[in-house]
Amino acid sequence: METAHTPEQALLVGVGIKGRRSPWTVADSLDELAQLADTAGAEVAGTVSQQLEAPSHTYVGKGKLQEIADARRAMGFGTLICDDELTPTQQQNLERALGERVKVIDRTALILDVFARHARTREGRLQVELAQAEYLLPRLAGQWSHLERLGGGIGTRGPGETQIETDRRLVGQRIQRLKQELEKVRRHRAQYRARRHRNRLPVVALVGYTNAGKSSLLNALSGAGVLARGQLFSTLDPVTRKVRLPDGSDALLTDTVGFIQKLPTTLVAAFRATLEEVQEASVLLHVVDISHPNAAEQVEVVEDILRDLDMTDTPRVLALNKVDLLDSNDSAGFVPGGGSIKAVLTSAVTGAGLHQLLQAVSAQVSDDVPSRAEPAFAGAKSRRGAARNGHG
């Protein structure tokens, strides 16, 4: 009897838009999509990319769609994962073109699946379920597309429309209930924050790109014992621990959900209660995987999200983590940070730079004048090694 789980075979598809300025190449974005697929339990059968003037009604061009259909017959993959969020029409057109046996999902659905796997607390599950429901709502019509293949006539048209409307109403009601539950969570968190303000404990929020090593750094600084894996979004639920600063004072160190490029807006909205922890922080500790070849681009993604959260004026410290994975030639020519933002080379694995990092945080906590400068990271990409396995 066969009991071993067979992973889904997935083909990854990415589209670059001609003339659109982006720090990410299609190849880099597909590499990250492959990591997401691996975290979700899929096995990548191959990748396909294309440059277009604009996305088509099938996401890719007609010729590329035929190439994907031919690859389906040759490889036998059962899942197609697109590197952008598909419109409901694009998803339906792809499913029709590739046949019923091919499941078509987009980057947003994949990220939601990874979040659902890693949500452990009730709050985390509520936030993920809300994001999933809001993502599903405009796509419900596609769930009943099988009725269209039955043809017209009695018993096909009316019941299908009735069922869609019923599902929309039920999903809408569920969204409202989830928002009410999360509002209770938000008020509960607000009470905790008010208590911390009364106790005058500063909050230092760990922010950064997913898999930059925030959980490992939290463990190294506070002995928190938080799960740290070399996977994207291995930590989803926020964790707060007290840490003693070099000047003898205490601070609360909070690990938050990691960021990623093309972060779904449904997730940002659903994780409002969690992101408020970042917005209320006294200091931001921006953790960067300095060994990653796309470290500069990852920094820019985090900075963009912080700007969206209106947090550009919050004092911050830059932790250039995983320095142990840098080659000696890479680290010798690297000048970290810039402006008035303090940057410290660290390693959560070896402990290098941790004391200096706490000193930098302590200086920002005691400084009444917030830093408004942003980190300079120009030219860093070419000076980094590519190895990054084994770090959470």
Side-chain angles (χ1 to χ4, degrees), residues 50-68:
Q50 186 178 27
Q51 293 288 330
L52 292 174
E53 297 291 342
S56 71
H57 67 287
T58 55
Y59 183 60
V60 294
K62 185 177 180 181
K64 189 63 67 173
L65 183 59
Q66 183 59 51
E67 182 182 326
I68 293 172

Side-chain angles (χ1 to χ4, degrees), residues 4 22 155 180 187 227 258 298 318 321 341 371-372:
S22 173
Q180 290 170 3
R187 291 197 297 267
L227 176 67
Q298 292 179 354
L318 205 60
N321 196 33
I341 289 184
S371 172
R372 288 178 166 77

Side-chain angles (χ1 to χ4, degrees), residues 266-284:
T266 50
L267 271 179
V268 175
F271 277 73
R272 175 183 166 223
T274 299
L275 292 175
E276 282 184 356
E277 291 292 315
V278 179
Q279 292 175 306
E280 294 291 331
S282 308
V283 175
L284 297 181

Side-chain angles (χ1 to χ4, degrees), residues 4-15:
H5 172 69
T6 303
E8 293 183 49
Q9 297 293 308
L11 181 72
L12 311 185
V13 182
V15 169

Side-chain angles (χ1 to χ4, degrees), residues 57-342:
H57 67 287
T58 55
Y59 183 60
V60 294
K62 185 177 180 181
K64 189 63 67 173
L65 183 59
Q66 183 59 51
E67 182 182 326
I68 293 172
D70 294 340
R72 164 76 178 95
R73 288 187 287 270
M75 300 179 185
F77 62 86
T79 303
L80 184 76
I81 306 177
C82 298
D83 194 34
D84 295 281
E85 183 168 332
L86 299 174
T87 67
T89 300
Q90 286 175 325
Q91 184 171 352
Q92 291 176 38
N93 290 339
L94 279 171
E95 289 171 344
R96 290 193 187 102
L98 298 176
E100 297 179 15
R101 294 187 178 181
V102 178
K103 177 173 59 177
V104 178
I105 63 175
D106 58 19
R107 186 184 183 94
T108 297
L110 183 61
I111 292 175
L112 289 174
D113 183 84
V114 172
F115 269 57
R117 283 171 172 259
H118 292 162
R120 296 289 180 267
T121 65
R122 178 174 174 272
E123 176 188 352
R125 293 191 181 102
L126 284 172
Q127 292 176 126
V128 172
E129 188 178 351
L130 175 60
Q132 288 175 328
E134 291 182 330
Y135 173 79
L136 175 64
L137 188 59
R139 292 166 173 79
L140 282 174
Q143 308 300 314
W144 293 94
S145 58
H146 62 282
L147 294 175
E148 298 174 5
R149 293 190 287 270
L150 296 176
I154 299 172
T156 57
R157 182 169 49 217
E161 292 172 352
T162 302
Q163 186 62 57
I164 291 172
E165 292 304 318
T166 300
D167 286 353
R168 282 174 176 160
R169 185 173 65 255
L170 291 174
V171 172
Q173 291 173 351
R174 182 59 181 162
I175 288 174
Q176 290 304 314
R177 285 196 295 269
L178 289 169
K179 286 182 175 179
Q180 290 170 3
E181 290 294 317
L182 285 172
E183 182 59 24
K184 294 178 183 177
V185 171
R186 192 193 67 80
R187 291 197 297 267
H188 189 60
R189 283 192 173 277
Q191 292 174 354
Y192 272 106
R193 286 195 295 271
R195 187 182 307 169
R196 292 201 296 258
H197 284 308
R198 287 196 298 270
N199 293 334
R200 295 185 178 180
L201 280 178
V203 177
V204 179
L206 288 159
V207 298
Y209 209 82
T210 180
N211 205 29
K214 299 190 307 300
S215 298
S216 297
L217 201 58
L218 176 69
N219 290 337
L221 293 173
S222 68
V226 174
L227 176 67
R229 292 178 181 170
Q231 290 184 326
L232 305 185
F233 299 114
S234 60
T235 302
L236 180 60
D237 301 303
V239 178
T240 300
R241 295 291 186 271
K242 184 183 289 187
V243 63
R244 179 60 58 89
L245 298 177
D247 62 1
S249 64
D250 291 328
L252 295 177
L253 200 59
T254 298
D255 186 17
T256 59
V257 63
F259 299 145
I260 195 170
Q261 62 144 339
K262 303 177 184 177
L263 188 67
T265 54
T266 50
L267 271 179
V268 175
F271 277 73
R272 175 183 166 223
T274 299
L275 292 175
E276 282 184 356
E277 291 292 315
V278 179
Q279 292 175 306
E280 294 291 331
S282 308
V283 175
L284 297 181
L285 182 54
H286 183 172
V287 184
V288 181
D289 178 0
I290 195 62
S291 71
H292 198 287
N294 294 113
E297 291 83 356
Q298 292 179 354
V299 167
E300 187 58 35
V301 167
V302 175
E303 291 296 328
D304 287 342
I305 295 175
L306 291 177
R307 277 190 286 269
D308 291 341
L309 296 173
D310 196 24
M311 297 195 62
T312 55
D313 289 339
T314 304
R316 71 190 72 182
V317 174
L318 205 60
L320 306 177
N321 196 33
K322 304 189 183 182
V323 68
D324 54 299
L325 296 182
L326 285 175
D327 296 333
S328 58
N329 292 334
D330 293 332
S331 58
F334 177 68
V335 180
S340 60
I341 289 184
K342 178 67 175 178

